[in-house]
Amino acid sequence: MNLAPERLRGMASALLEARNVPSAHARLQADLLLEAELRGLPSHGLQRLPLILSRLDKGLADGQARGSGTWRRRSFLSVDGERGLGPVVLMHALEAMRPIVCETGIAIAAIRNANHIGMLAYYAEAAAKSGLIGIIMSTSEALVYPFGGTQAMLGTNPVAIGVPSGDQPFVLDLATSIVSMGKINHHAMRGMPIPLGWAVDAEGRPTTDANAARTGAIAPFGGAKGYGLGLAIELLVSALTGSDLAPDVRGTLDDIHAANKGDLLILIDAAAGDGSVRSLASYLDHLRGSHPSDPASPVAVPGDGARQRRAATERSGIELPQPLLEHLLALEAA
Amino acid sequence: MNLAPERLRGMASALLEARNVPSAHARLQADLLLEAELRGLPSHGLQRLPLILSRLDKGLADGQARGSGTWRRRSFLSVDGERGLGPVVLMHALEAMRPIVCETGIAIAAIRNANHIGMLAYYAEAAAKSGLIGIIMSTSEALVYPFGGTQAMLGTNPVAIGVPSGDQPFVLDLATSIVSMGKINHHAMRGMPIPLGWAVDAEGRPTTDANAARTGAIAPFGGAKGYGLGLAIELLVSALTGSDLAPDVRGTLDDIHAANKGDLLILIDAAAGDGSVRSLASYLDHLRGSHPSDPASPVAVPGDGARQRRAATERSGIELPQPLLEHLLALEAA
């Protein structure tokens, strides 16, 4: 059964508000989850809501907190997230940075003690739509093995980059793992196997069993280079936020521990640069029109697929896995 | 025949000084090329020197220029490289940024009209050794095809990240192509084939012929994700420096055109953050000690291999391809 996005958005907001989350914060958290669903990224969608609710119930997330920032330097904001909801703390920091970015051209926020910030594209797009270049990085529990290794030692350490480029900003959002743990959970929840090469089991052996992968480790994307990038993000985030390193991180996949990963947000005023938004947009169109390797699949720009899926899902509605839908309906009825 | 690094360093410096390059600039450019040779990255080593000399001879590079910077905002330095040698302009910008970074915590330089900056690790390491986080990006001629495409539309768009982490800073340096064009040139120069999957020929067909690859296009690393990262770098650099986009870039592989690619340098004061250098160093050691997939190959951290190769080459000397050595000796005798 497909449900209208507005129905699910209202349900998510109401469930959050019922846990003492102020309406504006609830709408923001719900919007982030719905945007992930709409863009075909269910691993970062409503599947995460029950955990968020449980964390609120247990005091591991504080729905009212927006995070408390200190300007350590003119363009360096240090943020204690105070257990706030990830999107609330992130967007609050982003808004606090705007006037500084316009003045200094670039600013950074180093955020600790915030809950899971979800789909990073959300923030990169918010920045780029308002004329700012946005670079967002985040860490996680140790889920990824190093290139040449077998043990989970790194987070999935995603990075998103948003660049103003005409009507549709360029938005890249990638985990430095070959897949997100959310996607492996999604396969496990639906009883689907995973492709060989995605993960190893707890003994370090390659596996196609999504459940075995959950206790093992995920491969980095792109071999040594992707591993290097993920490791650089691990170090950058921890060096600047003081957050724990992956083997000690907890709290984005459980409802037992406080979230002790970190998040970085770098904003750059695109207007300070010498480039032209029009030439970027025209280049991206040139790229889309270049010869594809498969004539049936035109070359795409990151974000194109998400926009197409979003438009289609707006029309068709969202189909949730039955157990998740039943769980949410039961929570709503409680 | 292996040559002592100091012999080659002196030769490179002298060849540059003979073309009216001030001694300090010549030593810096020579040091960059030698560091690449020492670290086993010949594609960015002395193989590039004849082209640099020819560009100086033709006025496409100005050995005296250091670039002219304008602070567009408090932390945003716009640099016209004035056809200066890449490392001279880059290091000059880095030094100009130091006092600002200490004051504002983060600063960015957007550089256009500089010549090829070579091995990016050099700058990331220079930053990290002095307590700064350094992020460097650069663009190039269109050499890389988009994921799902067949035409050279993107630069090899490398990124380097340096993070202070104890005695040995963490230094990542990667091209977003599966290999650098320098490495393909290196194979072509030695008459070696390239692995399938590295490149397509001018008609978009996969090839193992290094010469055919030079007129074709290189694959992005890591599929769609590596393509996305390379494209993000393409847009970031052009948006902020006003440099041309890959299909219009010239001047890093020829001695006909001015260099119209761009370079970005972001510096962050690690001391503004809450992290501990000691915990980063200890984590990296923990990573090196984790279970390898092949018991004979311990897990490595980016930069480990370069350090080992550097130490070995310092002892053994540098072996240049015979044609290159003869060319350099002839230039020296001229």
Side-chain angles (χ1 to χ4, degrees):
Chain A
M1 181 178 67
N2 286 13
L3 288 161
E6 288 320 305
R7 163 79 180 95
L8 290 169
R9 188 188 302 272
M11 175 196 279
S13 267
L15 285 168
L16 289 159
E17 288 189 53
R19 280 153 185 87
N20 210 21
V21 177
S23 165
H25 295 186
R27 282 201 307 271
L28 175 56
Q29 176 71 69
D31 191 49
L32 179 85
L33 300 175
L34 261 291
E35 281 300 321
E37 290 290 347
L38 285 169
R39 295 169 192 205
L41 199 72
S43 60
H44 287 68
L46 290 164
Q47 165 180 323
R48 295 220 174 234
L49 184 56
L51 193 63
I52 293 169
L53 298 175
S54 175
R55 292 181 65 81
L56 286 163
D57 288 339
K58 295 183 174 185
L60 295 167
D62 176 350
Q64 312 212 9
R66 299 188 306 172
S68 152
T70 307
W71 288 95
R72 287 281 172 78
R73 303 273 197 282
R74 192 79 195 89
S75 304
F76 191 111
L77 181 64
S78 171
V79 176
D80 178 347
E82 298 176 321
R83 299 195 172 190
L85 295 170
V88 172
V89 176
L90 229 292
M91 289 304 290
H92 185 61
L94 194 154
E95 293 305 327
M97 292 165 77
R98 281 191 196 277
I100 303 296
V101 176
C102 292
E103 183 194 318
T104 66
I106 184 168
I108 184 167
I111 302 169
R112 61 193 179 289
N113 298 332
N115 277 281
H116 192 247
I117 62 171
M119 180 182 67
L120 270 58
Y122 191 85
Y123 315 104
E125 190 174 296
K129 279 187 167 168
S130 62
L132 300 176
I133 287 169
I135 304 175
I136 300 100
M137 302 178 202
S138 189
T139 54
S140 80
E141 281 82 351
L143 294 168
V144 177
Y145 61 81
F147 180 74
T150 58
Q151 292 176 276
M153 298 290 293
L154 297 103
T156 51
N157 299 358
V159 56
I161 299 176
V163 183
S165 59
D167 298 339
Q168 298 171 331
F170 171 85
V171 179
L172 174 75
D173 180 357
L174 60 90
T176 51
S177 51
I178 201 163
V179 284
S180 67
M181 183 52 93
K183 201 164 202 171
I184 288 182
N185 285 336
H186 181 71
H187 279 71
M189 187 184 293
R190 293 175 184 238
M192 288 156 57
I194 57 170
L196 199 64
W198 275 18
V200 296
D201 65 16
E203 273 70 51
R205 294 171 307 211
T207 185
T208 58
D209 178 342
N211 269 310
R214 293 170 82 177
T215 58
I218 313 174
F221 92 96
K225 292 190 182 198
Y227 155 57
L229 183 66
L231 181 52
I233 293 171
E234 185 82 40
L235 299 178
L236 286 173
V237 171
S238 181
L240 294 172
T241 68
S243 63
D244 282 81
L245 288 151
D248 298 319
V249 167
R250 302 288 183 274
T252 79
L253 300 167
D254 65 66
D255 55 1
I256 301 169
H257 302 280
N260 59 348
K261 50 77 196 169
D263 313 296
L264 286 183
L265 172 59
I266 297 173
L267 297 177
I268 307 173
D269 184 2
D274 289 294
S276 123
V277 163
R278 184 178 302 178
S279 73
L280 299 192
S282 140
Y283 167 69
L284 292 177
D285 281 340
H286 189 29
L287 205 51
R288 291 183 182 101
S290 71
H291 286 142
S293 56
D294 171 3
S297 299
V299 171
V301 164
D304 285 354
R307 263 189 298 270
Q308 285 164 11
R309 286 190 297 274
R310 194 184 188 294
T313 314
E314 279 274 19
R315 288 190 300 270
S316 69
I318 294 167
E319 185 182 6
L320 294 184
Q322 198 58 29
L324 174 59
L325 179 59
E326 283 167 16
H327 189 170
L328 293 176
L329 290 171
L331 285 168
E332 194 180 37
Chain B
M1 181 177 69
N2 286 13
L3 289 161
E6 287 320 305
R7 163 79 180 92
L8 290 169
R9 188 188 303 272
M11 175 196 279
S13 266
L15 285 167
L16 290 159
E17 288 189 53
R19 280 156 184 86
N20 210 22
V21 178
S23 167
H25 294 186
R27 282 201 307 271
L28 175 56
Q29 176 71 69
D31 191 50
L32 179 85
L33 299 175
L34 261 291
E35 281 299 321
E37 290 289 348
L38 286 169
R39 296 170 192 205
L41 198 73
S43 61
H44 288 67
L46 290 162
Q47 166 180 323
R48 296 222 174 230
L49 184 56
L51 192 64
I52 293 169
L53 298 174
S54 176
R55 292 181 65 81
L56 286 163
D57 289 339
K58 296 184 174 184
L60 296 167
D62 176 351
Q64 312 212 9
R66 300 188 303 172
S68 154
T70 308
W71 287 96
R72 287 281 171 78
R73 304 273 197 281
R74 191 80 195 90
S75 304
F76 191 111
L77 181 64
S78 170
V79 176
D80 178 347
E82 299 176 319
R83 298 195 172 191
L85 295 170
V88 172
V89 176
L90 228 292
M91 289 304 290
H92 185 60
L94 194 153
E95 293 305 327
M97 292 165 77
R98 279 191 197 280
I100 302 296
V101 175
C102 291
E103 184 195 317
T104 65
I106 184 169
I108 184 167
I111 303 169
R112 62 194 178 287
N113 297 333
N115 277 280
H116 192 248
I117 63 171
M119 179 180 68
L120 271 57
Y122 191 84
Y123 315 104
E125 190 173 296
K129 278 188 168 167
S130 62
L132 299 176
I133 287 169
I135 303 175
I136 300 98
M137 302 178 203
S138 189
T139 54
S140 79
E141 282 82 350
L143 294 168
V144 177
Y145 60 81
F147 180 74
T150 58
Q151 292 177 276
M153 297 291 292
L154 297 102
T156 52
N157 300 0
V159 56
I161 300 176
V163 183
S165 58
D167 299 339
Q168 298 171 331
F170 171 85
V171 179
L172 174 75
D173 180 358
L174 61 88
T176 50
S177 51
I178 201 163
V179 284
S180 67
M181 183 51 93
K183 200 165 202 170
I184 288 181
N185 286 336
H186 181 71
H187 279 71
M189 187 184 292
R190 294 175 184 236
M192 288 156 58
I194 57 169
L196 199 65
W198 276 16
V200 296
D201 65 17
E203 273 70 52
R205 294 171 306 212
T207 185
T208 59
D209 178 343
N211 269 310
R214 293 169 82 177
T215 57
I218 312 174
F221 93 97
K225 292 189 181 198
Y227 155 58
L229 183 66
L231 180 53
I233 292 172
E234 185 83 40
L235 299 179
L236 286 173
V237 171
S238 181
L240 293 173
T241 69
S243 63
D244 283 80
L245 288 150
D248 297 319
V249 167
R250 303 289 183 273
T252 79
L253 300 167
D254 64 67
D255 56 1
I256 302 169
H257 302 280
N260 58 349
K261 50 78 195 167
D263 313 296
L264 286 184
L265 172 58
I266 297 173
L267 297 177
I268 307 173
D269 185 1
D274 289 294
S276 125
V277 164
R278 185 177 300 177
S279 74
L280 298 192
S282 141
Y283 167 69
L284 292 177
D285 280 341
H286 189 28
L287 205 51
R288 291 182 182 102
S290 71
H291 285 142
S293 56
D294 170 4
S297 299
V299 171
V301 165
D304 286 354
R307 263 189 298 270
Q308 286 164 10
R309 286 190 296 275
R310 194 184 189 292
T313 315
E314 279 274 19
R315 288 190 302 271
S316 68
I318 293 167
E319 186 183 6
L320 295 183
Q322 198 58 28
L324 174 59
L325 179 58
E326 283 168 14
H327 189 170
L328 293 176
L329 290 170
L331 285 168
E332 195 180 36

